[in-house]
Amino acid sequence: MTSRIAEWKRISAGGLVSNPGSSERVQTGAWRTRRPVIDFSQCTHCMICWVMCPDTSMQVYKDRLTGVDLAHCKGCGICASECPKHCIQMVPEDRRV
Ligand code: SF4
Ligand code: SF4
Protein backbone atom coordinates (compact mmCIF):
# COMPACT_ATOMS: atom_id res chain seq x y z
CA MET A 1 0.00 0.00 0.00
CA THR A 2 1.36 3.42 -1.01
CA SER A 3 1.87 5.89 1.84
CA ARG A 4 0.32 9.35 1.70
CA ILE A 5 3.78 10.93 1.52
CA ALA A 6 4.59 8.94 -1.62
CA GLU A 7 1.24 9.99 -3.17
CA TRP A 8 2.04 13.65 -2.46
CA LYS A 9 5.36 13.32 -4.27
CA ARG A 10 3.59 12.16 -7.44
CA ILE A 11 1.76 15.49 -7.81
CA SER A 12 3.34 17.56 -10.55
CA ALA A 13 4.67 21.02 -9.74
CA GLY A 14 2.12 23.81 -10.09
CA GLY A 15 2.59 27.55 -10.32
CA LEU A 16 5.81 28.75 -8.76
CA VAL A 17 6.49 32.19 -7.37
CA SER A 18 9.88 32.80 -8.91
CA ASN A 19 10.13 36.41 -7.77
CA PRO A 20 8.58 36.74 -4.30
CA GLY A 21 7.86 40.19 -2.94
CA SER A 22 6.78 41.50 -6.34
CA SER A 23 3.06 42.00 -5.63
CA GLU A 24 3.41 45.78 -5.28
CA ARG A 25 5.07 46.02 -8.69
CA VAL A 26 2.89 43.49 -10.57
CA GLN A 27 -0.27 45.41 -11.35
CA THR A 28 -2.92 42.69 -11.36
CA GLY A 29 -5.58 45.29 -12.12
CA ALA A 30 -4.71 44.85 -15.80
CA TRP A 31 -6.56 41.49 -15.71
CA ARG A 32 -9.85 43.10 -14.67
CA THR A 33 -12.99 43.10 -16.85
CA ARG A 34 -15.31 44.45 -14.11
CA ARG A 35 -14.54 46.90 -11.34
CA PRO A 36 -16.15 47.35 -7.94
CA VAL A 37 -18.07 50.58 -7.43
CA ILE A 38 -19.00 51.41 -3.84
CA ASP A 39 -22.15 53.26 -2.83
CA PHE A 40 -20.72 55.08 0.17
CA SER A 41 -24.18 56.32 1.18
CA GLN A 42 -25.00 52.72 2.21
CA CYS A 43 -21.56 51.64 3.48
CA THR A 44 -21.30 51.06 7.24
CA HIS A 45 -17.48 50.70 7.13
CA CYS A 46 -17.75 47.21 8.62
CA MET A 47 -14.56 46.22 6.73
CA ILE A 48 -15.83 42.80 5.65
CA CYS A 49 -14.83 43.64 2.07
CA TRP A 50 -11.35 44.59 3.29
CA VAL A 51 -10.98 41.26 5.08
CA MET A 52 -12.30 39.23 2.15
CA CYS A 53 -10.39 40.86 -0.71
CA PRO A 54 -7.67 38.43 -1.84
CA ASP A 55 -5.59 41.31 -3.22
CA THR A 56 -5.78 43.68 -0.25
CA SER A 57 -7.21 46.21 -2.67
CA MET A 58 -9.75 47.85 -0.39
CA GLN A 59 -8.34 51.17 0.73
CA VAL A 60 -8.87 52.27 4.31
CA TYR A 61 -8.00 55.44 6.16
CA LYS A 62 -8.60 55.86 9.88
CA ASP A 63 -11.01 52.87 10.11
CA ARG A 64 -13.07 54.05 7.14
CA LEU A 65 -13.29 52.51 3.71
CA THR A 66 -12.14 55.11 1.20
CA GLY A 67 -11.96 53.33 -2.15
CA VAL A 68 -10.38 50.58 -4.22
CA ASP A 69 -6.80 50.24 -5.42
CA LEU A 70 -7.61 49.66 -9.07
CA ALA A 71 -3.97 49.03 -9.93
CA HIS A 72 -4.22 45.73 -8.05
CA CYS A 73 -7.96 44.84 -7.89
CA LYS A 74 -8.49 41.87 -10.23
CA GLY A 75 -12.26 42.32 -10.37
CA CYS A 76 -13.08 38.96 -8.81
CA GLY A 77 -16.27 40.33 -7.20
CA ILE A 78 -15.76 38.70 -3.81
CA CYS A 79 -16.17 42.06 -2.08
CA ALA A 80 -19.52 42.60 -3.81
CA SER A 81 -20.69 39.09 -2.89
CA GLU A 82 -19.70 39.46 0.76
CA CYS A 83 -20.82 43.02 1.49
CA PRO A 84 -23.73 42.70 3.95
CA LYS A 85 -25.20 46.02 2.77
CA HIS A 86 -25.01 45.07 -0.93
CA CYS A 87 -23.47 48.43 -1.66
CA ILE A 88 -20.71 47.23 -3.99
CA GLN A 89 -21.67 46.85 -7.61
CA MET A 90 -19.43 45.14 -10.17
CA VAL A 91 -19.48 47.28 -13.29
CA PRO A 92 -18.02 46.37 -16.70
CA GLU A 93 -14.80 48.24 -17.35
CA ASP A 94 -16.18 49.80 -20.51
CA ARG A 95 -19.14 51.33 -18.67
CA ARG A 96 -18.89 54.74 -17.04
CA VAL A 97 -20.57 55.22 -13.64
S1 SF4 B 1 -18.48 45.27 3.21
FE1 SF4 B 1 -19.87 46.79 2.36
S2 SF4 B 1 -20.62 47.93 4.14
FE2 SF4 B 1 -18.80 46.84 4.79
S3 SF4 B 1 -17.10 48.30 4.46
FE3 SF4 B 1 -17.27 47.07 2.60
S4 SF4 B 1 -18.59 48.27 1.23
FE4 SF4 B 1 -18.87 49.06 3.32
S1 SF4 C 1 -13.20 42.79 -6.91
FE1 SF4 C 1 -11.91 41.25 -5.86
S2 SF4 C 1 -9.84 42.08 -6.02
FE2 SF4 C 1 -11.23 43.78 -6.45
S3 SF4 C 1 -11.54 44.82 -4.50
FE3 SF4 C 1 -13.19 43.30 -4.74
S4 SF4 C 1 -12.47 41.46 -3.70
FE4 SF4 C 1 -10.68 42.78 -4.07
Side-chain angles (χ1 to χ4, degrees), residues 71-91:
H72 293 95
C73 162
K74 292 196 294 260
C76 66
I78 292 174
C79 54
S81 295
E82 297 298 327
C83 173
K85 299 297 284 183
H86 308 290
C87 60
I88 303 177
Q89 189 186 357
M90 297 304 294
V91 176

Side-chain angles (χ1 to χ4, degrees), residues 27-97:
Q27 305 222 324
T28 47
W31 305 352
R32 195 178 54 246
T33 58
R34 300 178 307 155
R35 68 184 183 281
V37 175
I38 304 162
D39 177 357
F40 282 101
S41 70
Q42 303 297 315
C43 175
T44 59
H45 303 277
C46 67
M47 299 303 157
I48 289 175
C49 58
W50 177 79
V51 170
M52 299 304 290
C53 175
D55 293 296
T56 325
S57 293
M58 283 300 176
Q59 296 171 318
V60 173
Y61 182 71
K62 291 190 176 178
D63 296 334
R64 304 213 26 115
L65 187 70
T66 58
V68 181
D69 169 12
L70 291 175
H72 293 95
C73 162
K74 292 196 294 260
C76 66
I78 292 174
C79 54
S81 295
E82 297 298 327
C83 173
K85 299 297 284 183
H86 308 290
C87 60
I88 303 177
Q89 189 186 357
M90 297 304 294
V91 176
E93 279 296 325
D94 60 359
R95 197 170 103 203
R96 297 242 175 248
V97 177

Side-chain angles (χ1 to χ4, degrees), residues 21-27 69 72:
S22 60
S23 57
E24 181 81 19
R25 195 165 15 91
V26 178
Q27 305 222 324
D69 169 12
H72 293 95

